[in-house]
Amino acid sequence: MYDEHNMYHWLQLNELNILRYSVVLELFFGVTGILVAFYSRSNAVLLDGCYSLLCTLTMMANVRISQIVKLPPSPESPYGYPTLEPLMLFFEGIILLGLCLALLSFSVCKLITGGYIPEFDLALAYEIFSTIIGGATATLFFLLHRSKPSPLIYFECQEWLVDSAVSAAATAAFAIAYRLGNSHPITPFIDSILTIALLLFLVGLPLKTLHKNFKQLLLKDVVTPELLESTKKVIAKQWDAQQINISMIWLGRWLWVNVEITIHNDTLPTKEEFESIRAKAEHAISSICQYYRLQFSFSFQNST
């Protein structure tokens, strides 16, 4: 019972505080990672630190975006600010992809020129600590996202999951290198090979982020056919409609729903009928999305 109570308390944290916590923690790992990389001369640790520091900058932008997108429509912005989230995440994907490509080229050059031997003991201690904290944070963010779905929190969860996976892989590689010793012929190449392998793994995250959010900016990130069909059935049970066309697209955390209904015999629904169908449609939509905009439009068709 005690554990359940504590978990419930954590899940009640609002999004802004969650993102601020992530910013502070990533900043700590970013600065310490770069310092450890400087003293250990490890490109893999440098990658880990630069990744964390870059995530810090994007998280700071995410904190501000999380406040803006919840603002109601205004005369200056009659549709609100739903495109800010996919636009921000799109640029974050470009930045992460650029970082991956730059470090990849640098590591390949180091590998070709014969490799090098960093201070594996210092690098190993840092990566063990990073793996433990990163894994715990990724798990916490995953639980928070399940309780209060948010694309920004989900993005942070992905970043922490990737960060902890990178640290775990680096821990294993550094442990092997530490065990082999500096005199082993493979040791000088371990850090470069590890960095290249991690970059090939990391590049999938910015590519996925770019693809998804570019689709949203093009208004092509549609919902599943099952949700469309279930919403259509809810409406069809209430009105004698000739045709029901529903479009649903994602823009960040917002789901935009447009329902076009063709009605028999120029008969408008009563106020009670309209409120009933709207409430049932909102119930179906709110089961998968907390933030949505629902718009109805009508046309008439005489029966012959």
Side-chain angles (χ1 to χ4, degrees):
M1 180 65 67
Y2 176 76
D3 291 339
E4 291 181 359
H5 175 75
N6 282 323
M7 181 59 68
Y8 177 80
H9 174 73
W10 274 104
L11 295 178
Q12 299 309 305
L13 291 173
N14 63 61
E15 184 182 58
L16 184 59
N17 288 335
I18 294 168
L19 293 175
R20 283 173 175 168
Y21 162 77
S22 187
V23 167
V24 172
L25 197 57
E26 277 285 17
L27 179 61
F28 168 77
F29 278 109
V31 173
T32 55
I34 291 176
L35 290 175
V36 171
F38 176 77
Y39 287 105
S40 67
R41 304 187 307 279
S42 169
N43 282 340
V45 175
L46 179 62
L47 168 63
D48 201 355
C50 287
Y51 181 82
S52 296
L53 191 59
L54 182 59
C55 289
T56 301
L57 300 177
T58 58
M59 286 177 192
M60 292 174 67
N62 286 345
V63 169
R64 179 57 179 162
I65 293 296
S66 70
Q67 298 173 295
I68 296 176
V69 296
K70 295 177 183 178
L71 295 176
S74 64
E76 295 78 15
S77 183
Y79 296 101
Y81 305 89
T83 58
L84 282 181
E85 271 184 306
L87 183 63
M88 173 57 66
L89 295 175
F90 178 77
F91 282 117
E92 288 179 4
I94 291 178
I95 295 172
L96 288 176
L97 182 61
L99 172 65
C100 289
L101 294 178
L103 286 176
L104 180 61
S105 61
F106 180 76
S107 298
V108 170
C109 291
K110 283 288 187 179
L111 185 64
I112 294 174
T113 55
Y116 55 94
I117 299 178
E119 298 292 335
F120 285 113
D121 51 352
L122 177 60
L124 178 59
Y126 169 78
E127 294 298 348
I128 290 174
F129 178 72
S130 180
T131 300
I132 295 172
I133 301 301
T137 304
T139 301
L140 174 63
F141 274 35
F142 174 75
L143 295 175
L144 291 168
H145 173 69
R146 290 191 62 181
S147 173
K148 294 182 177 181
S150 161
L152 293 179
I153 291 180
Y154 180 67
F155 184 79
E156 301 304 325
C157 175
Q158 283 184 310
E159 288 191 336
W160 278 106
L161 183 62
V162 170
D163 204 6
S164 60
V166 167
S167 298
T171 299
F174 291 157
I176 293 173
Y178 186 75
R179 178 69 177 175
L180 292 176
N182 294 345
S183 60
H184 197 282
I186 298 179
T187 303
F189 301 98
I190 287 180
D191 194 72
S192 294
I193 293 174
L194 171 63
T195 305
I196 293 171
L198 292 177
L199 286 167
L200 293 176
F201 168 72
L202 281 174
V203 76
L205 177 60
L207 287 176
K208 180 180 178 182
T209 301
L210 285 172
H211 179 260
K212 178 177 177 59
N213 290 281
F214 187 63
K215 282 179 62 179
Q216 291 194 0
L217 291 172
L218 293 178
L219 305 181
K220 291 187 176 181
D221 190 9
V222 299
V223 301
T224 61
E226 291 77 15
L227 178 60
L228 285 172
E229 188 62 29
S230 63
T231 307
K232 184 181 294 186
K233 287 180 179 179
V234 167
I235 298 174
K237 288 180 180 179
Q238 297 291 316
W239 290 330
D240 182 18
Q242 291 278 57
Q243 186 177 359
I244 301 174
N245 294 319
I246 303 177
S247 60
M248 297 183 181
I249 60 170
W250 290 101
L251 279 174
R253 74 190 62 204
W254 288 94
L255 179 62
W256 287 72
V257 183
N258 185 44
V259 181
E260 299 178 359
I261 301 176
T262 304
I263 305 176
H264 286 290
N265 299 323
D266 294 345
T267 303
L268 278 171
T270 65
K271 180 180 178 180
E272 290 75 17
E273 287 176 329
F274 179 77
E275 290 178 348
S276 175
I277 188 56
R278 186 179 184 90
K280 291 187 177 182
E282 288 181 342
H283 177 75
I285 297 168
S286 62
S287 63
I288 65 159
C289 180
Q290 180 181 0
Y291 301 98
Y292 60 88
R293 298 281 171 81
L294 178 59
Q295 178 70 39
F296 283 89
S297 60
F298 303 93
S299 61
F300 305 97
Q301 180 174 334
N302 293 324
S303 59
T304 57

